[in-house]
Amino acid sequence: MAGGALAQQPAPPAPAPQAPAAVEPASIPESAIAIARQLQQKALTDPTSYALVESLTTRVGPRLPGTPGDRAAVAWAVQAMKDIGLKNVRTEEVPVVGWLRGGEKAEVLAPAPQPLVVTALGYSAATPPGGITAEIVQFDSFADLRAALPGSLEGKIAFISGRTVRTQDGAGYGAAVVARSRGPAEAAKKGAVGLIIRSIGTESHRLAHTGMVSIEGGLPPLPAAAVSNPDADQLERLLKLGPVRIRLELTPTLPGQVTSHNVIGEIPGREAPEEIVLLGAHLDSWDLGTGAIDDGAGVGIVMGAAKLIGELPQKPRRTLRIVLFAAEEVGLVGAKAYAEAHKAELANHVVGTEADFGAGPVYRFATFFSPEAKAAGEAIQAALAPIGVLPGPNNASGGPDMGPLRRLGVPVVSLAQDGSDYFDVHHTPDDTLDKVDPKKLAQSTAAFATFGWLAAEGRGSFRPTPLQPE
Amino acid sequence: MAGGALAQQPAPPAPAPQAPAAVEPASIPESAIAIARQLQQKALTDPTSYALVESLTTRVGPRLPGTPGDRAAVAWAVQAMKDIGLKNVRTEEVPVVGWLRGGEKAEVLAPAPQPLVVTALGYSAATPPGGITAEIVQFDSFADLRAALPGSLEGKIAFISGRTVRTQDGAGYGAAVVARSRGPAEAAKKGAVGLIIRSIGTESHRLAHTGMVSIEGGLPPLPAAAVSNPDADQLERLLKLGPVRIRLELTPTLPGQVTSHNVIGEIPGREAPEEIVLLGAHLDSWDLGTGAIDDGAGVGIVMGAAKLIGELPQKPRRTLRIVLFAAEEVGLVGAKAYAEAHKAELANHVVGTEADFGAGPVYRFATFFSPEAKAAGEAIQAALAPIGVLPGPNNASGGPDMGPLRRLGVPVVSLAQDGSDYFDVHHTPDDTLDKVDPKKLAQSTAAFATFGWLAAEGRGSFRPTPLQPE
């Protein structure tokens, strides 16, 4: 998942003109529940999801949008969808602003010379040749940096040292990530020549977390990097001894506009093929690791769930659509492109969700449904309860790539995965296959299969009453 | 600690001509035991050891022999010894063969292009400009590489993929480290152009373990690097798909002979100042981390113990000598220099030990004593029991830097620390202060203080009967 997604509260959906004025509320047939139970049990031992994560992370590896790895991932996904029996497998072009990591190096020059472990933030500017040498100025939070006087950081490197709190649902990340998304623009406003942030991560290893800088106001004017947590601790200790001078060298490049692709495959519905239940994940990854938990796991989960549903004796009533989104990490670009390209059929998107929170087990089922669909939501949760899924609230985000669809009125659910250790490896070189527990992954697959099947086998509408824009 | 130390079984000591033919066996006075109890309790909450580790790793940081960091460490140690009240503080020159890390980079070129996390092994040769590009050939162990036919690796890079087993006492490291110490020479014999080993470490992070290659037969003729455990896993998976081609670039340099220093300080004995109880640790560290557990922790432990003993109302009967050895990591060079420089007074070295196994608590007390000193050893262990220290065997190594002294007949003990997680961070960039638990460190300080005090307050000899050379 990208940074911005959790940081924002889900925005209220805009009026959805394509939503029918009055429709039958959602219902889940009893016969579907019985089949869901068997499907769920099968999923708990099915090896497909893990095998797909292994295959994607081994045969492709890192897949930053616009790179050869990304193109290989799209080809891999097309083939993998065909291999698990999906129909209508196709790709849709997604134009992306490219950014490529270069070298990255930083060192403390004084008072105690030593290397720092850093990584450039996505869309960071490059340093001049030879890097920049400057004193660092510590801020405990983004808010403190914002409160600094304009010009007060002239010639300095701002250092935001706030820590990410470990939580099950990612709230700690959401609270911290503003330092990354808005830090560079803010530091530049105060006259800084660079920005260093403490990694937006919860572990204590010499690995730095990358992730995107907000480019809504244009590309960041500064070199911006994250340091590992132990390095941030060390900078704090060194600053207590006196001024700390560092050298920072980052050489990322901007290849201009590049092209990626959403990859789509379906199990066409037997009775209402025009009605779509969407299970999504994103195919792209950051470049430091192999994208195993972010979001190879999600790819494995939704593909594994689709395979099991496709193997049932009877196809579901509605179409189950698997979407592997492009370029999630660099601004939900594929999701926005999907929403635009499928504008005309969004009224037929019955419900959607995305698996993009690692390989931990699903522990909560939340909805964003109409009040009339409450009973159907409860029926789905009851079917998920045997594998440890608790009821959640009715304000689900649906996952980062569901944001654009949700804002256009598409009902969503969140099959919330336990992310207690997600931010130990997310966006770091450590995002590799060994961090995926096959049993936990299978539980998530069971949850997505259960939901996907029940929603696709159901009748009627989940669609929330369009809220008035604020 | 360096690699070779645990890998070797302690060699039998050579005859010790300076050992008196018949002496009073060791005894520990009851009055000393009572004081030890108070000393121990005080040590459990004394902040000195942790403060010293913090200071050394912050104010100095990495300290590879011959570097500015090493010189800063020696100056730091001299001052720190004076600050805690030691007398006769002095340094002794240690000539060392220098080796400096350069750039290090590796990537898989085929079948799936991706970066690898590598680090050069100590004394690795440099690659030609542009690096070497070659196929890798996997061996599951050093023994398998040794069994390969001469010339069979012509133009290839050997890859030893054996795993390090997690153990409390470091036995897993000892078994695995031969791949590092002897791998480069062996790979060269088979015609290889380079060597890659799976890191001799127990963690699963994208951090590679450095450590020294044996230079007994001369400097290694090959570029040799370790890959992180997840990268080694990935190479194994890629090799199952077909040939794996990598590019490896290492640019270490050999600055020739450099100089480091052993640092020595004492609490002079009140009655038998010529009799020496030695508490050692090593001051140098690998360059990737800040040397917090290897061996900042040991420095903190023995210095913290000495401070507390020095603050007792009455100084101990014998001299307590603290030795911070130079250049342990690159072949116990400071220990060998100490043994040579102090040849004439080794008969007066009553007993010695080194703290060089991290910041974990002491769980076992082992000796290498004469049979006649058994009761004294048991008395010391009994005094250590209240802080969780079990009895151990009578074949203690004493720690890496005690090796040269032990071989010359000096009695040693091992205050064995729990090293279950030591090889998660040892010799990696992750060897930083956050890995030190102040409470566990204080327990170790309590154990070293107890032992140091009792041995220095005792009478008689621990000296083992010289064994016949094999």
Side-chain angles (χ1 to χ4, degrees):
Chain A
M1 56 166 281
L6 261 183
Q8 302 166 332
Q9 289 295 343
Q18 73 274 42
V23 290
E24 177 198 356
S27 64
I28 308 294
E30 263 310 310
S31 59
I33 301 275
I35 293 170
R37 257 182 227 129
Q38 295 162 23
L39 184 67
Q40 201 172 78
Q41 285 308 307
K42 193 164 180 200
L44 290 176
T45 57
D46 188 81
T48 307
S49 294
Y50 185 83
L52 286 165
V53 185
E54 174 168 349
S55 175
L56 174 60
T57 58
T58 305
R59 290 175 184 267
V60 177
R63 44 201 183 277
L64 196 63
T67 63
D70 184 36
R71 290 189 282 280
V74 169
W76 175 92
V78 166
Q79 188 58 49
M81 284 190 174
K82 290 178 180 168
D83 289 347
I84 63 166
L86 298 190
K87 307 296 179 203
N88 309 326
V89 175
R90 60 204 188 267
T91 63
E92 295 180 352
E93 272 197 14
V94 176
V96 188
V97 177
W99 180 87
L100 290 173
R101 188 176 308 281
E104 35 198 29
K105 207 175 158 183
E107 56 184 330
V108 175
L109 302 175
Q114 52 194 285
L116 293 169
V117 173
V118 296
T119 193
L121 301 180
Y123 295 101
S124 165
T127 54
I132 50 176
T133 297
E135 254 182 48
I136 61 172
V137 179
Q138 183 182 337
F139 298 92
D140 292 341
S141 67
F142 173 74
D144 287 359
L145 170 62
R146 200 170 42 187
L149 292 176
S152 60
L153 296 180
E154 211 64 57
K156 305 283 172 66
I157 293 173
F159 164 47
I160 307 178
S161 71
R163 287 167 198 276
T164 302
V165 178
R166 186 183 295 276
T167 57
Q168 191 177 28
D169 67 355
Y173 182 75
V177 79
V178 62
R180 185 178 81 213
S181 54
R182 295 172 55 196
E186 198 64 32
K189 266 193 227 167
K190 313 302 185 189
V193 294
L195 173 73
I196 296 267
I197 62 168
R198 178 189 284 273
S199 282
I200 313 299
T202 45
E203 93 314 322
S204 191
H205 300 295
R206 296 288 291 291
L207 298 165
H209 288 69
T210 190
M212 193 177 161
V213 164
S214 170
I215 59 171
E216 277 167 38
L219 292 173
L222 286 182
V227 291
S228 80
N229 270 310
D231 290 86
D233 295 346
Q234 183 79 329
L235 288 177
E236 288 189 4
R237 284 189 293 266
L238 287 166
L239 281 162
K240 283 182 191 147
L241 304 180
V244 174
R245 207 166 170 75
I246 73 168
R247 198 180 73 81
L248 174 67
E249 187 171 10
L250 306 173
T251 61
T253 51
L254 291 161
Q257 184 130 315
V258 298
T259 301
S260 190
H261 294 83
N262 291 328
V263 185
I264 301 173
E266 295 174 340
I267 300 172
R270 71 172 192 276
E271 282 180 20
E274 74 288 358
E275 296 184 16
I276 293 159
V277 171
L278 191 160
L279 300 187
H282 68 84
L283 188 56
D284 65 311
S285 81
W286 277 105
D287 52 337
L288 300 174
T290 60
I293 69 147
D294 187 13
D295 186 25
V299 171
I301 289 166
V302 299
M303 300 266 282
K307 174 182 168 275
L308 291 168
I309 294 169
E311 284 171 356
L312 289 172
Q314 186 170 261
K315 297 286 173 283
R317 217 177 65 74
R318 292 160 162 161
T319 291
L320 187 78
R321 179 178 288 176
I322 303 300
V323 182
L324 302 184
F325 292 99
E328 188 270 347
E329 294 295 0
V330 293
L332 313 178
V333 187
K336 290 171 188 164
Y338 178 91
E340 181 62 25
H342 295 263
K343 214 167 15 182
E345 58 164 348
L346 287 193
N348 288 333
H349 279 59
V350 173
V351 64
T353 189
E354 184 180 33
D356 183 20
F357 205 48
V362 172
Y363 72 98
R364 192 169 62 191
F365 176 70
T367 57
F368 188 62
F369 285 175
S370 69
E372 294 75 19
K374 190 167 183 249
E378 287 170 353
I380 296 172
Q381 188 274 321
L384 288 164
I387 53 169
V389 182
L390 303 170
N394 193 36
N395 64 358
S397 75
D401 286 313
M402 289 299 107
L405 298 179
R406 186 184 188 275
R407 278 191 286 279
L408 293 168
V410 174
V412 299
V413 306
S414 289
L415 290 150
Q417 294 175 270
D418 186 337
S420 301
D421 55 9
Y422 183 65
F423 296 105
D424 288 350
V425 300
H426 163 265
H427 290 199
T428 77
D430 236 0
D431 184 4
T432 48
L433 183 63
D434 51 299
K435 311 309 183 303
V436 177
D437 178 327
K439 283 202 175 169
K440 291 179 180 172
L441 189 75
Q443 190 270 8
S444 280
T445 302
F448 277 78
T450 303
F451 164 74
W453 162 253
L454 292 178
E457 192 64 6
R459 291 172 180 279
S461 173
F462 298 107
R463 196 155 292 249
T465 314
L467 300 177
Q468 295 307 313
E470 284 173 17
Chain B
M1 56 168 281
L6 261 181
Q8 303 168 331
Q9 289 294 343
Q18 72 274 46
V23 289
E24 173 198 0
S27 64
I28 309 294
E30 265 309 310
S31 60
I33 301 274
I35 293 171
R37 255 181 229 128
Q38 295 161 22
L39 183 68
Q40 199 171 78
Q41 285 307 306
K42 192 163 182 204
L44 290 176
T45 56
D46 188 81
T48 307
S49 293
Y50 185 83
L52 286 165
V53 185
E54 175 168 348
S55 176
L56 174 61
T57 58
T58 305
R59 290 175 185 266
V60 177
R63 42 201 184 279
L64 196 64
T67 63
D70 184 36
R71 289 188 283 281
V74 169
W76 175 92
V78 166
Q79 188 57 50
M81 283 188 174
K82 290 177 180 168
D83 289 346
I84 63 166
L86 298 190
K87 308 296 178 204
N88 309 328
V89 176
R90 60 206 190 267
T91 63
E92 295 180 352
E93 272 199 14
V94 177
V96 189
V97 178
W99 181 87
L100 290 173
R101 189 176 307 282
E104 36 199 28
K105 207 175 157 184
E107 57 184 330
V108 174
L109 301 175
Q114 51 194 282
L116 292 170
V117 173
V118 296
T119 194
L121 302 180
Y123 295 102
S124 164
T127 55
I132 50 175
T133 297
E135 255 183 46
I136 61 171
V137 180
Q138 183 182 336
F139 297 92
D140 292 342
S141 67
F142 173 74
D144 287 0
L145 170 63
R146 200 171 41 188
L149 292 176
S152 61
L153 297 179
E154 211 63 57
K156 304 284 172 64
I157 293 174
F159 165 46
I160 307 179
S161 71
R163 287 167 198 277
T164 302
V165 177
R166 186 183 296 277
T167 57
Q168 191 176 29
D169 67 356
Y173 182 75
V177 80
V178 62
R180 186 178 80 213
S181 55
R182 296 174 53 196
E186 198 64 32
K189 267 194 225 164
K190 313 301 184 187
V193 293
L195 173 73
I196 296 268
I197 62 168
R198 178 188 284 274
S199 283
I200 312 300
T202 44
E203 92 314 322
S204 190
H205 299 295
R206 296 287 292 291
L207 298 164
H209 289 69
T210 191
M212 192 178 164
V213 163
S214 170
I215 59 172
E216 278 167 39
L219 292 172
L222 287 181
V227 292
S228 80
N229 269 311
D231 290 85
D233 295 345
Q234 184 79 328
L235 289 177
E236 289 189 3
R237 284 188 294 267
L238 287 166
L239 281 161
K240 284 183 189 146
L241 305 180
V244 174
R245 207 167 170 76
I246 73 168
R247 197 179 75 82
L248 173 67
E249 188 171 8
L250 306 173
T251 60
T253 51
L254 290 161
Q257 185 130 313
V258 296
T259 302
S260 190
H261 293 83
N262 290 330
V263 185
I264 301 173
E266 294 173 340
I267 301 172
R270 71 171 191 275
E271 283 180 20
E274 75 289 357
E275 296 183 16
I276 292 158
V277 171
L278 191 159
L279 300 186
H282 68 84
L283 188 56
D284 65 312
S285 81
W286 278 104
D287 52 337
L288 299 174
T290 61
I293 69 148
D294 186 13
D295 187 25
V299 171
I301 289 165
V302 298
M303 299 266 282
K307 174 182 168 276
L308 290 167
I309 294 169
E311 285 171 357
L312 289 172
Q314 184 170 263
K315 297 286 174 282
R317 215 178 64 76
R318 291 159 163 162
T319 290
L320 188 76
R321 179 178 288 179
I322 304 300
V323 183
L324 302 184
F325 292 99
E328 187 270 349
E329 295 295 2
V330 294
L332 313 177
V333 186
K336 290 171 189 165
Y338 179 89
E340 181 63 26
H342 295 264
K343 217 166 13 182
E345 59 165 348
L346 287 192
N348 288 334
H349 279 59
V350 172
V351 63
T353 190
E354 184 179 32
D356 183 20
F357 205 48
V362 172
Y363 72 99
R364 193 170 60 191
F365 176 70
T367 56
F368 188 61
F369 286 175
S370 70
E372 293 75 20
K374 191 166 183 250
E378 287 170 352
I380 296 173
Q381 189 274 322
L384 289 164
I387 53 169
V389 183
L390 303 170
N394 194 36
N395 64 359
S397 75
D401 287 313
M402 288 300 108
L405 298 180
R406 186 184 189 276
R407 278 190 288 279
L408 293 169
V410 174
V412 298
V413 306
S414 290
L415 290 151
Q417 294 175 270
D418 185 337
S420 300
D421 54 10
Y422 184 66
F423 295 106
D424 288 351
V425 302
H426 162 266
H427 290 200
T428 77
D430 236 1
D431 184 3
T432 48
L433 184 63
D434 52 299
K435 311 307 182 305
V436 177
D437 177 329
K439 283 202 174 168
K440 291 180 180 172
L441 189 75
Q443 189 270 9
S444 280
T445 302
F448 277 78
T450 303
F451 164 73
W453 161 254
L454 292 178
E457 193 62 6
R459 291 174 180 278
S461 173
F462 298 107
R463 196 157 291 251
T465 314
L467 299 177
Q468 294 308 312
E470 284 173 19

